[in-house]
Amino acid sequence: MSKLFLVIASIFGGLSVMAGAFGSHYLKGQLTPPLLEIFTTATRYQMYHALALLFVGILFNRSETPQPWLIAAGWAFITGIGLFSGSLYALSLTGMGWLGMITPIGGIALICGWACLTIASLKS
């Protein structure tokens, strides 16, 4: 599980850098300022939580016994990144406002990831 989380975290981190560069170099002239800000928020949260997932992978690798709360944290971060950042990317690129209804679900998943990481820390 550790290796999977580390690989996914690395992919999300790299994609965040690419999305940020794409946003600042290409989309800056293509999107309205509010939509560009939405895109920027997506890249920022993706990177924050890619780092959190990387941390989960490292902690999981260091633990002597399987840590179900770390597994839950990892999957919550993966789900949250996909739903939160993914919906914001789609919203900013398409302008379809209804995609914003998905974003809070992703936010809840990210919060759950942090809660699971807290519980894992307290139980270790």
Side-chain angles (χ1 to χ4, degrees), residues 45-69:
Y45 273 73
Q46 181 175 334
M47 180 56 81
Y48 294 157
H49 291 91
L51 294 173
L53 182 59
L54 187 68
F55 184 64
V56 167
I58 291 168
L59 286 176
F60 194 85
N61 196 32
R62 294 184 68 208
S63 96
E64 296 174 11
T65 59
Q67 297 289 326
W69 288 105

Side-chain angles (χ1 to χ4, degrees), residues 16-87:
S16 177
V17 172
M18 289 188 278
F22 180 68
S24 65
H25 294 291
Y26 177 74
L27 293 178
K28 191 172 189 176
Q30 306 295 319
L31 297 179
T32 64
L35 289 178
L36 187 59
E37 181 59 32
I38 290 169
F39 190 90
T40 301
T41 298
T43 61
R44 189 172 45 247
Y45 273 73
Q46 181 175 334
M47 180 56 81
Y48 294 157
H49 291 91
L51 294 173
L53 182 59
L54 187 68
F55 184 64
V56 167
I58 291 168
L59 286 176
F60 194 85
N61 196 32
R62 294 184 68 208
S63 96
E64 296 174 11
T65 59
Q67 297 289 326
W69 288 105
L70 284 178
I71 294 170
W75 286 114
F77 287 139
I78 291 167
T79 302
I81 291 168
L83 293 175
F84 185 87
S85 292
S87 66

